[in-house]
Amino acid sequence: MTGTEGAQGAAPLSEGLLSAPLPAVTRGDEIADRLITALAVGEYLPGSRLPPERELSLSLGVGRTAVREAIARLVSLGLLETRRGRHGGSFVTRQWEGSSEQAVQRSLGARWASLRDLRETLCLLHGAVARSAAENRTDDDVVVLGERLDAFRAAASGNASQVADAALHAAICAAAHNAVLTGLLAEAEARLNLAAPLHPWGPVDGVEAMEARALADHERLVGLIVGGDEDGADAVARRHVRIDFEMIEAALGKTADA
């Protein structure tokens, strides 16, 4: 759970889980599988808005007609609703429905080995960023880290907490004072999920427990960075990022149960 602050600072979609270019013969149902998977793992929680069709079209390397077809399929399944007007778009209504397990299996099962490699890469990068933050943080960074931690602690469960999490980790990246390292981290995270810098928040019924666990990690991680404990910050950051992959594993495991 890291990245720049808020969804507006997201890394280019072209690197994301849902954004690898598709063959020209790909139909709308293949795009729909990727969108269904994004909802299933909690990249976008109920109430969240998907990226505009034009962004999905460019990042997937397909026409807007195919994207529109995929979105229409999710609307028909009751996973999305479309709203018109200035603040319109495609909004998540629920995460999972009866046929989601097949889509998740198709999207995640075929690339599970590469996801394991990505997990280890992200653990290393998160650890390195936290280590750099513990070494290089300034007095101003310490103030911001405290404010962002307080904001996460006070945030409402769900979307607000997800955004506050991204803001806290953006402050950790800033405290590292290493643009090359944090750039590599942003690129790697964008390969994991469409919503980066927001992160998989898991199924709605497990969100509060996950947030409590994340808060405990956040409190310890910020304390170690502020205290200049490079080894400790590295270790906690590596462990913390595995929460993201547990959310993905849980979604894939649900398909096995089904």
Side-chain angles (χ1 to χ4, degrees), residues 182-198:
T182 55
L184 289 171
L185 176 58
E187 291 175 10
E189 284 190 324
R191 295 182 60 189
L192 177 64
N193 69 309
L194 176 64
L198 304 182

Side-chain angles (χ1 to χ4, degrees), residues 7-251:
Q8 295 299 318
L13 297 180
S14 59
E15 300 295 334
L17 168 63
L18 305 183
S19 307
L22 297 174
V25 296
T26 295
R27 299 180 302 174
D29 55 357
E30 294 182 71
I31 304 170
D33 281 352
R34 297 190 179 194
L35 294 174
I36 290 169
T37 301
L39 273 56
V41 302
E43 293 179 19
Y44 288 94
L45 296 172
S48 299
R49 182 171 59 181
L50 293 186
E53 287 180 4
R54 64 182 180 276
E55 292 184 19
L56 289 172
S57 174
L58 289 171
S59 61
L60 287 164
V62 298
R64 290 182 66 172
T65 300
V67 172
R68 195 172 298 119
E69 178 187 336
I71 289 174
R73 177 181 166 192
L74 269 70
V75 170
S76 71
L77 292 173
L79 296 171
L80 295 178
E81 67 174 5
T82 56
R83 304 175 192 169
R84 299 190 180 279
R86 184 177 179 183
H87 301 293
S90 300
F91 292 82
V92 180
T93 54
R94 55 194 176 109
Q95 289 183 302
W96 193 279
E97 63 89 38
S99 64
S100 292
E101 61 265 17
Q102 290 93 351
V104 171
Q105 179 62 49
R106 287 190 295 264
S107 292
L108 295 179
R111 62 191 302 267
W112 191 245
S114 65
L115 284 173
R116 288 199 304 267
D117 291 342
L118 181 57
R119 176 187 63 193
E120 297 309 311
T121 298
L122 282 169
C123 285
L124 290 170
L125 288 171
H126 277 288
V129 167
R131 175 180 289 276
S132 183
E135 179 182 8
N136 298 323
R137 80 279 183 271
T138 65
D139 291 343
D140 288 342
D141 293 326
V142 169
V143 171
V144 173
L145 286 168
E147 292 173 347
R148 299 289 174 83
L149 179 59
D150 287 342
F152 182 81
R153 192 182 288 116
S157 180
N159 290 313
S161 184
Q162 189 179 31
V163 171
D165 169 79
L168 171 59
H169 285 285
I172 294 173
C173 287
H177 295 282
N178 187 323
V180 173
L181 181 59
T182 55
L184 289 171
L185 176 58
E187 291 175 10
E189 284 190 324
R191 295 182 60 189
L192 177 64
N193 69 309
L194 176 64
L198 304 182
H199 285 258
W201 224 236
V204 170
D205 59 3
V207 160
E208 289 188 4
M210 185 277 291
E211 289 169 344
R213 175 183 169 192
L215 176 59
D217 281 354
H218 287 163
E219 290 175 336
R220 187 175 181 195
L221 180 57
V222 169
L224 291 166
I225 290 172
V226 170
D229 187 339
E230 298 172 28
D231 290 340
D234 187 327
V236 171
R238 290 191 190 205
R239 184 183 72 229
H240 179 63
V241 74
R242 291 180 179 272
I243 294 176
D244 289 6
F245 290 90
E246 290 177 18
M247 301 299 101
I248 294 171
E249 289 172 347

